[in-house]
Amino acid sequence: MQEITQALFDMQDLKYKDFQCALMPTVPKETVIGVRTPLLRQYARRLHKTPQAASFLEILPHTYYEENNLHAFLLEYEPSFEKAVIAVDRFLPYINNWATCDSFLPKVFDKNKDRMLPEIERWMADDAVYTVRYGIGLLMRYFLDDAFAPEQAEKVAALTQDEYYVKMMQSWYFATALAKQYKAILPFFTKNKLSLWVHNKSIQKAIESRRISPAQKAYLKTLKRRPL
């Protein structure tokens, strides 16, 4: 495993490290090497079929942010749906930042969308911040088009964790849902089904979206709420 860590340090970019650290206040700076994501993905692609990669995936927790991201990118190559779910379950508790959380998606999940909903709901029901965030992110990706159902949005709205990175993903979900399912999602705003923070942040993000029409944006602005 020392070879993998050394390979990561060989790709180090200190200016990029400073940039990345500024975006991730939850990650101690001494645990960030500073490797650009395209290089890290290229390394994962070269490594994933090797015994070294299999051994690396058995080691948790990792020391460095990039080791966690490498772990995440290697999981994307798991061909078995069942094994991918088990591996993601094992990895999620060790995620400590939004960037790692939002960066990976096993390819086999795309091929088994019909089996994803129970896993997503289970992750959303967890207590860990980034496990919940990961579940919301997958629900946003897979279930806002043809597979959308209003009860899924109800479950996102019902989440009560007062954690910034959960609330931010809730907001991304509802802003994206407004773009894709405007009529079905609008009552969440007209009937104040969301927390004040998520309500207003969702509207802000929707107004910034190119997928929302000018007329819709104008109306959404009228729905902003003020603190009591």
Side-chain angles (χ1 to χ4, degrees), residues 4-61:
I4 289 178
T5 303
Q6 184 58 53
L8 296 175
F9 271 96
D10 289 344
M11 293 182 275
Q12 186 178 50
D13 181 332
L14 292 176
K15 288 186 178 179
Y16 181 71
K17 172 180 176 174
D18 291 339
F19 168 78
Q20 194 73 2
C21 287
L23 299 176
M24 304 184 304
T26 61
V27 181
K29 189 171 183 177
E30 64 270 17
T31 67
V32 179
I33 298 171
V35 180
R36 293 181 180 272
T37 299
L39 291 178
L40 198 54
R41 284 195 173 278
Q42 290 173 18
Y43 185 48
R45 187 161 55 248
R46 296 196 302 270
L47 193 66
H48 81 275
K49 290 184 178 180
T50 67
Q52 195 177 18
S55 297
F56 178 77
L57 288 173
E58 291 299 315
I59 299 173
L60 284 170

Side-chain angles (χ1 to χ4, degrees), residues 5 39 62-63 66 68 79-80 91 96 103 122 136 155 164 181 185 218:
T5 303
L39 291 178
H62 298 297
T63 300
E66 284 81 2
N68 275 328
S80 162
F91 179 56
N96 66 350
S103 70
R122 181 169 58 81
I136 300 170
K155 290 181 179 179
Y164 175 82
Q181 302 288 344
I185 294 298

Side-chain angles (χ1 to χ4, degrees), residues 27-215:
V27 181
K29 189 171 183 177
E30 64 270 17
T31 67
V32 179
I33 298 171
V35 180
R36 293 181 180 272
T37 299
L39 291 178
L40 198 54
R41 284 195 173 278
Q42 290 173 18
Y43 185 48
R45 187 161 55 248
R46 296 196 302 270
L47 193 66
H48 81 275
K49 290 184 178 180
T50 67
Q52 195 177 18
S55 297
F56 178 77
L57 288 173
E58 291 299 315
I59 299 173
L60 284 170
H62 298 297
T63 300
Y64 294 102
Y65 162 75
E66 284 81 2
E67 290 176 333
N68 275 328
N69 282 8
L70 178 62
H71 191 119
F73 298 158
L74 288 171
L75 291 182
E76 294 185 328
Y77 291 99
E78 172 54 59
S80 162
F81 178 81
E82 292 81 3
K83 289 182 179 179
V85 170
I86 291 170
V88 170
D89 270 336
R90 182 169 172 265
F91 179 56
L92 285 174
Y94 296 99
I95 295 178
N96 66 350
N97 66 90
W98 67 268
T100 301
C101 181
D102 298 355
S103 70
F104 74 105
L105 183 70
K107 295 178 178 65
V108 72
F109 286 179
D110 275 323
K111 300 175 183 177
N112 291 272
K113 295 176 185 177
D114 56 325
R115 302 169 68 183
M116 283 303 302
L117 192 57
E119 310 302 338
I120 289 171
E121 291 178 347
R122 181 169 58 81
W123 288 327
M124 285 171 51
D126 202 278
D127 293 328
V129 170
Y130 295 103
T131 301
V132 177
R133 182 181 172 102
Y134 190 70
I136 300 170
L138 291 185
L139 193 69
M140 180 173 66
R141 179 183 179 91
Y142 291 131
F143 293 93
L144 283 181
D145 294 303
D146 294 341
F148 171 76
E151 54 265 29
Q152 297 159 5
E154 293 281 1
K155 290 181 179 179
V156 178
L159 295 171
T160 58
Q161 281 201 35
D162 191 28
E163 295 282 353
Y164 175 82
Y165 291 101
V166 171
K167 294 190 295 183
M168 185 59 80
M169 185 55 83
Q170 284 178 283
S171 302
W172 275 118
Y173 173 89
F174 279 102
T176 305
L178 281 168
K180 294 189 172 188
Q181 302 288 344
Y182 183 80
K183 290 183 179 180
I185 294 298
L186 192 59
F188 285 88
F189 296 89
T190 58
K191 297 181 180 179
N192 295 338
K193 292 186 175 184
L194 305 175
S195 71
L196 176 67
W197 195 95
V198 172
H199 177 104
N200 287 338
K201 183 62 71 173
S202 300
I203 289 175
Q204 175 192 326
K205 291 186 174 299
I207 290 171
E208 293 169 354
S209 172
R210 295 181 180 179
R211 295 182 289 181
I212 304 288
S213 73

